[in-house]
Amino acid sequence: MGDVVSSHLDENKREIITARTRDVMREFGETYQQQYAVALFNSVRYEIEGGGTQSQLLHRKDPLVDRSIFSGNLFQYLEENRKWRNRFVFVASSYSISLYESKTAHDRSLHPKVTINCAGYRALKSMEEYMDLVNNSLPGVKARPSSSPFVKCATQFPLILWHPYARHHYFCVMTEKEQTKWHAVLQDCVRHTNNGLSEDCKVLTPAFTDAVRLHRQAKGHYGTWDMMCGGPPQILANLVMETLHPEMRSLIAHRLKGKLQQKQRHWMLISDALYKQVLRHTRAHYEALVQSCEVQRPALDAGLRTDMDQIIASKDHVQGKMRALVLPRAEQLLLASVKPYVDSILEALMEPTSRGFSEVRDVFSRELVEVSKNTLNGGGKELLGEQMERLSMLAFHPVKMQSCYEEVEQLNLDGLQQRFDVSSPSVFVQRAQILMREQMDNAVYTFEQLLNQSLEGQGDEDLCKTIQKCEDRVLKKYDYDSSTVRKKFFREALLQIIIPYMLKHLSPSCTAELPKFKELIFEDFSRFLLVENVFEEVVLHSVTKDIMMAVKEAAVQRRHNLYRDSMVLTNSDPNLHLLGESPSVDWSTKFSPDDPEGEGEGGAQDEGPRGGLAAAKRRRQVVSMIQLDGVPLAYESCMEVPGVEGIPEEEGEDYGMRCKLGTEEEEDDDDDEARMLPRTPKSPDSVHEIRGLINPVVEVEHPEAEEGGTNGTEPVSATVLLEDGSVEEVRSVTTLVEGGDQRRVSPQDMMKRLMGKDRKQEVTDIEQAIQEIDLAVQEGGKDTDLEADLGQTSSKTNEGLNEVGPQPIRNGLTGGDGNGEEVENFGEKVAVQISDVVCEI
């Protein structure tokens, strides 16, 4: 495949790629430096003037410290040799996906085979959906409706990560439930990594987003952009690829040879190489750009604080002059083309978003109901600690939160997207989902702090009442914060939809007149006041009033449980925010009756503040696993490690079920492709399973043991008659003593247990049978009577044995009593019958 990439991306084309990237980054860099000074001015002004509303719920600063999201085994398709390989997948707290050759490689901290940043990807679980996207990758080549995919999935449950520019990744699992869970995990990885711009960066993030928006507007691209995904280097790479990718495709696509499937595979490899080269350049350019701006920040900050009043007065003066020019045109456009659609846009946003936030509230309540139930059943504080440890990571449990996310995914802007140049509602969907997760974590964290405070010095008798009181307090605060967050989200979404539309229609008539306003700005303030930004603020203010009124009206009517702005819960719980400064509660050790050394806080060397072994245990089951009836554990392809102790997805799901897929015996890369097909229950390949088939093991409990012995294995020589009539040779007896009393059971005693009786009892039965036979011979009975007596005696003897044990032994044991010699001295008349009786015994 390397030859395909190198032949189509030769030195000349690579130089074109580098030149295009350099040009885009130069233009972007100029815009970014201008917006950096403006963002710094806005940040300092906000810091001085203050503002904003205080939330009622507490906010956890770093919820995923010392946590991992998920880990397990998947089958991965390798394009190099077109084979499926079993890979151990680890999803860290950063939501990056690392693929290892085995779990052992991960435990040894070896480098992963592949690390995937999911920004810009789409998680698919249907090969048909994937092929629809792939067939559109080469516009000039049309696929037949019956064309088969070039990747043949090894199972019926594929999982695919698709990217418009980067390499695609193919996985599969064995069951539908596994597919559902892994798909939720992959979607969560995409959702989190797409949100790569930190809101805590009050200068860098606004400067970057405004620079990207202005750069695209200069190219005629208004409206939302789906590829505003990931960190700044990735977003800039997408910005370059927006124009470079179609250009390179037009140069290369007609030169691709082979069938359609081969052309598609080759183009994906070329596109991935192209994207990687662009990403390397954008990362280097952006780091240098930020460094140059940060060097100037102290001087800019000092000048701003000195002249802040004059700068604000100058800006107000320019805005007043510009408002006289822009407002008449803006109001005319607003009245004719925007106002008639504001209510319909708002309703389309409110309904699915409010359902999602309502589902967050319901999920939180249901989890607390389970906690209360277990408390009523006498679980006590120890069980409460375990449940709270699981509850603490509820917001980051992708399967538990999936019902909330699905509600907002129904957001539909059909009929409005084309009119207002909205590429897709995915931008708003993912933003709403991030807000829902934040509100869930805030509610859980607030409940933890309140409950921890209420339980100080309290016994077990009032646990349920305490939990209920804390839940009521948290839900009231959640309802208020949920209303505040949603109203802010609705306003921002309306502005994101309407403002680009208005700028697109007002810019042609107003842009030419903007330079004259530069003369009104002092030269010393020109870095902080740009006429382009002032123009956008004037347009923003012209439409803000209508948007605020629409949202306020919805709140007054109590639609979708929105609160009125006049309802402000100021200082409703003044002592609560003091708890926000307290560290997170370590529930796993808070109520533990005995905290082993090294498992409490500060007891670890390499696992952070939560302790090494204890932290590793708490990383389990953020997403619990599945055990299907009748399917052995060894053939499941999921294995849980992350987060905290298990949160089950369905009622009655067994917490203790674990699914493991053996990765230690993975084959070499040059093995036959057929050996790489998914393992099924009909074809076990675990080393221990094969040994178990060759050397079956029969477990027997022995109530007595010899003093002074230990666990061990000793060889013996015997045969065992199994229940199905087959004969198995016994080569060794392994003694395993459970509990603290390590006493040994001898192999002879163990074989006696298998036989069901000791040897003395067997010899007694044999002697009785011999006496009856001898008496019959002396009396001269008929052969038929003798045979009948033999049959009855043999049946009687076997019944006695079966009452004690179902597995008689043939040929005796080495080191037995030696009483079997008595049988050999009987007369010839009954030798055959005696031999049969002994054999049956």
Side-chain angles (χ1 to χ4, degrees):
M1 294 303 173
D3 296 337
V4 174
V5 175
S6 59
S7 61
H8 291 284
L9 289 181
D10 53 18
E11 290 299 325
N12 293 332
K13 289 187 176 60
R14 291 189 179 274
E15 290 178 1
I16 295 174
I17 296 170
T18 303
R20 294 285 191 278
T21 306
R22 188 187 304 114
D23 293 341
V24 173
M25 290 304 300
R26 184 182 65 255
E27 297 174 0
F28 172 82
E30 295 174 356
T31 307
Y32 181 83
Q33 289 177 337
Q34 295 173 352
Q35 296 303 314
Y36 182 88
V38 175
L40 183 61
F41 163 70
N42 293 331
S43 175
V44 175
R45 181 179 181 180
Y46 182 83
E47 177 186 341
I48 294 174
E49 296 179 350
T53 58
Q54 185 179 20
S55 64
Q56 295 297 310
L57 296 172
L58 300 179
H59 177 70
R60 199 192 318 246
K61 294 180 180 179
D62 192 359
L64 292 176
V65 60
D66 295 328
R67 303 284 185 176
S68 59
I69 303 302
F70 193 68
S71 65
N73 283 75
L74 288 176
F75 293 109
Q76 182 196 17
Y77 180 77
L78 303 181
E79 295 185 12
E80 293 78 7
N81 53 19
R82 302 186 186 182
K83 295 181 180 180
W84 291 88
R85 288 288 188 269
N86 182 24
R87 291 287 183 255
F88 178 77
V89 183
F90 180 78
V91 182
S93 58
S94 62
Y95 286 87
S96 62
I97 300 177
S98 300
L99 280 74
Y100 295 85
E101 187 173 354
S102 64
K103 187 178 185 298
T104 304
H106 168 263
D107 294 340
R108 294 177 180 175
S109 300
L110 301 180
H111 290 291
K113 293 283 187 181
V114 180
T115 299
I116 305 173
N117 186 309
C118 294
Y121 277 90
R122 287 178 58 181
L124 310 174
K125 59 179 182 179
S126 168
M127 191 61 71
E128 292 74 16
E129 185 179 3
Y130 172 70
M131 289 308 301
D132 290 340
L133 296 171
V134 170
N135 291 335
N136 294 327
S137 61
L138 294 175
V141 181
K142 294 185 178 180
R144 297 179 181 178
S146 60
S147 60
S148 58
F150 55 82
V151 177
K152 295 182 179 179
C153 189
T155 69
Q156 300 178 3
F157 310 103
L159 291 162
I160 304 169
L161 288 174
W162 175 89
H163 194 282
Y165 309 132
R167 185 173 186 172
H168 305 168
H169 299 276
Y170 313 95
F171 309 100
C172 69
V173 291
M174 298 295 294
T175 66
E176 185 177 1
K177 283 190 175 181
E178 288 180 292
Q179 184 190 39
T180 301
K181 290 191 175 184
W182 274 107
H183 186 248
V185 172
L186 295 179
Q187 281 185 315
D188 218 31
C189 292
V190 173
R191 185 181 301 114
H192 182 88
T193 51
N194 280 349
N195 188 42
L197 299 177
S198 174
E199 296 182 4
D200 296 331
C201 299
K202 303 301 182 181
V203 177
L204 294 179
T205 297
F208 180 80
T209 54
D210 288 343
V212 171
R213 179 175 50 78
L214 291 173
H215 179 84
R216 296 189 74 248
Q217 288 179 2
K219 304 297 182 181
H221 301 296
Y222 292 83
T224 59
W225 185 36
D226 287 346
M227 295 308 295
M228 193 79 171
C229 305
Q234 293 168 300
I235 294 174
L236 292 174
N238 296 336
L239 189 66
V240 175
M241 294 290 286
E242 190 174 18
T243 55
L244 180 62
H245 193 260
E247 180 182 349
M248 298 303 296
R249 183 173 56 192
S250 62
L251 293 176
I252 297 175
H254 67 278
R255 298 174 54 191
L256 296 175
K257 298 180 181 180
K259 296 181 180 180
L260 173 63
Q261 299 174 354
Q262 188 174 4
K263 290 181 179 180
Q264 291 172 340
R265 294 181 70 251
H266 288 175
W267 172 244
M268 283 188 291
L269 295 173
I270 296 170
S271 177
D272 178 61
L274 173 62
Y275 182 74
K276 288 180 178 178
Q277 181 179 348
V278 172
L279 184 59
R280 285 195 300 268
H281 288 301
T282 57
R283 180 175 287 110
H285 281 287
Y286 179 73
E287 291 175 356
L289 182 62
V290 171
Q291 185 177 2
S292 65
C293 291
E294 289 292 298
V295 170
Q296 304 174 20
R297 180 169 182 169
L300 294 174
D301 187 90
L304 276 171
R305 296 182 185 276
T306 302
D307 302 326
M308 180 59 70
D309 293 339
Q310 292 88 337
I311 296 174
I312 294 176
S314 178
K315 181 178 181 180
D316 292 341
H317 177 67
V318 174
Q319 278 186 337
K321 295 293 185 179
M322 192 176 294
R323 194 176 294 112
L325 171 68
V326 176
L327 276 184
R329 305 174 187 180
E331 290 178 354
Q332 183 180 1
L333 177 64
L334 188 64
L335 184 62
S337 304
V338 175
K339 278 189 177 180
Y341 302 97
V342 170
D343 290 338
S344 58
I345 298 174
L346 182 59
E347 186 63 29
L349 292 169
M350 283 197 304
E351 186 174 355
T353 305
S354 297
R355 286 202 308 265
F357 277 85
S358 178
E359 181 66 17
V360 169
R361 190 183 195 276
D362 293 342
V363 170
F364 176 71
S365 298
R366 287 197 296 267
E367 292 299 321
L368 294 186
V369 167
E370 292 300 319
V371 174
S372 299
K373 284 182 179 179
N374 293 326
T375 303
L376 287 175
N377 292 334
K381 288 187 176 180
E382 291 77 10
L383 181 59
L384 177 63
E386 297 177 3
Q387 293 173 322
M388 290 302 300
E389 183 70 8
R390 293 196 296 267
L391 182 68
S392 63
M393 287 289 103
L394 176 61
F396 301 92
H397 190 295
V399 180
K400 278 287 187 181
M401 293 293 294
Q402 187 64 22
S403 61
C404 309
Y405 297 150
E406 289 176 350
E407 293 291 345
V408 76
E409 285 175 357
Q410 300 177 18
L411 194 153
N412 189 357
L413 297 176
D414 287 345
L416 301 172
Q417 291 181 215
Q418 186 175 2
R419 180 177 186 82
F420 291 98
D421 196 16
V422 179
S423 56
S424 75
S426 61
V427 175
F428 308 110
V429 169
Q430 292 193 8
R431 178 58 183 166
Q433 291 172 342
I434 293 295
L435 294 174
M436 288 158 56
R437 183 171 64 187
E438 290 178 355
Q439 289 300 300
M440 173 66 88
D441 189 57
N442 291 346
V444 170
Y445 180 59
T446 305
F447 178 80
E448 288 184 79
Q449 295 297 327
L450 289 175
L451 183 63
N452 182 51
Q453 184 187 49
S454 302
L455 292 178
E456 295 296 337
Q458 179 179 319
D460 295 351
E461 58 277 1
D462 295 329
L463 276 180
C464 190
K465 292 182 179 179
T466 302
I467 292 173
Q468 186 62 44
K469 290 180 180 179
C470 294
E471 178 186 357
D472 293 340
R473 292 175 65 185
V474 171
L475 289 179
K476 290 179 181 178
K477 298 177 184 300
Y478 173 83
D479 290 338
Y480 180 82
D481 278 6
S482 169
S483 174
T484 303
V485 168
R486 280 181 291 148
K487 286 190 294 185
K488 182 180 178 181
F489 169 72
F490 298 148
R491 290 193 293 264
E492 291 177 350
L494 284 171
L495 291 175
Q496 284 183 316
I497 294 172
I498 295 174
I499 294 298
Y501 175 80
M502 296 189 66
L503 290 175
K504 183 178 181 180
H505 289 80
L506 293 175
S507 294
S509 60
C510 297
T511 303
E513 302 183 40
L514 293 181
K516 67 181 182 181
F517 293 99
K518 293 182 181 180
E519 301 174 358
L520 303 177
I521 302 174
F522 291 109
E523 185 177 356
D524 294 341
F525 306 154
S526 59
R527 295 197 62 180
F528 309 113
L529 301 177
L530 301 178
V531 293
E532 294 83 1
N533 293 83
V534 176
F535 168 68
E536 290 191 355
E537 289 186 19
V538 171
V539 176
L540 176 66
H541 292 158
S542 67
V543 71
T544 299
K545 181 179 178 181
D546 294 298
I547 292 176
M548 295 288 289
M549 287 299 297
V551 176
K552 182 178 180 180
E553 184 180 353
V556 169
Q557 297 176 1
R558 296 301 303 271
R559 292 159 60 189
H560 305 293
N561 199 28
L562 292 176
Y563 288 173
R564 298 190 302 273
D565 295 338
S566 59
M567 295 182 62
V568 181
L569 302 180
T570 56
N571 296 326
S572 61
D573 204 346
N575 296 326
L576 177 62
H577 288 278
L578 297 178
L579 296 177
E581 301 176 1
S582 305
S584 298
V585 183
D586 188 356
W587 295 100
S588 62
T589 58
K590 181 175 179 60
F591 299 123
S592 178
D594 50 348
D595 185 13
E597 184 178 357
E599 291 189 5
E601 292 190 20
Q605 297 180 355
D606 300 323
E607 291 291 340
R610 289 187 173 268
L613 181 59
K617 291 180 179 179
R618 284 192 293 273
R619 284 198 183 100
R620 297 177 184 172
Q621 299 184 75
V622 166
V623 183
S624 61
M625 292 298 100
I626 311 160
Q627 172 60 39
L628 301 181
D629 296 336
V631 179
L633 287 175
Y635 305 107
E636 294 290 343
S637 61
C638 284
M639 179 177 60
E640 72 283 14
V641 173
V644 293
E645 293 298 328
I647 303 176
E649 281 72 50
E650 294 89 15
E651 292 294 332
E653 188 169 279
D654 187 3
Y655 293 176
M657 293 180 178
R658 302 294 182 266
C659 306
K660 296 183 178 180
L661 183 64
T663 59
E664 295 80 6
E665 64 277 4
E666 188 172 330
E667 295 86 344
D668 296 332
D669 288 344
D670 56 350
D671 284 349
D672 186 297
E673 181 174 359
R675 296 178 62 187
M676 285 298 97
L677 292 177
R679 304 181 180 113
T680 65
K682 298 180 181 179
S683 178
D685 56 358
S686 171
V687 172
H688 299 289
E689 292 168 354
I690 295 175
R691 289 175 179 172
L693 293 176
I694 297 175
N695 299 314
V697 177
V698 178
E699 295 184 359
V700 178
E701 295 182 2
H702 198 284
E704 299 177 355
E706 298 177 2
E707 297 292 340
T710 58
N711 295 342
T713 302
E714 292 191 13
V716 297
S717 178
T719 56
V720 178
L721 179 64
L722 301 181
E723 294 180 353
D724 58 359
S726 61
V727 179
E728 294 289 348
E729 182 180 0
V730 179
R731 299 180 180 178
S732 63
V733 173
T734 299
T735 303
L736 179 61
V737 180
E738 296 183 355
D741 188 9
Q742 296 290 324
R743 296 185 299 172
R744 182 186 175 199
V745 180
S746 66
Q748 287 77 13
D749 291 339
M750 186 62 68
M751 293 307 299
K752 290 177 183 178
R753 178 63 178 167
L754 287 173
M755 294 167 60
K757 288 186 177 182
D758 57 21
R759 295 287 294 174
K760 293 182 179 180
Q761 182 64 35
E762 296 171 13
V763 172
T764 302
D765 292 340
I766 294 174
E767 290 177 349
Q768 292 178 357
I770 292 172
Q771 291 176 2
E772 293 178 5
I773 296 171
D774 186 57
L775 181 61
V777 172
Q778 292 176 1
E779 292 176 355
K782 296 182 180 180
D783 292 343
T784 55
D785 297 333
L786 177 62
E787 291 176 0
D789 292 338
L790 285 173
Q792 294 175 1
T793 303
S794 177
S795 176
K796 178 180 179 181
T797 304
N798 282 334
E799 290 175 1
L801 290 175
N802 290 332
E803 291 176 358
V804 181
Q807 297 180 349
I809 299 292
R810 294 179 183 270
N811 299 336
L813 284 176
T814 303
D817 297 25
N819 295 329
E821 297 177 358
E822 301 176 6
V823 181
E824 300 177 358
N825 298 324
F826 283 92
E828 295 180 357
K829 293 183 180 180
V830 294
V832 176
Q833 292 82 346
I834 294 174
S835 178
D836 291 339
V837 172
V838 174
C839 290
E840 288 296 328
I841 295 174

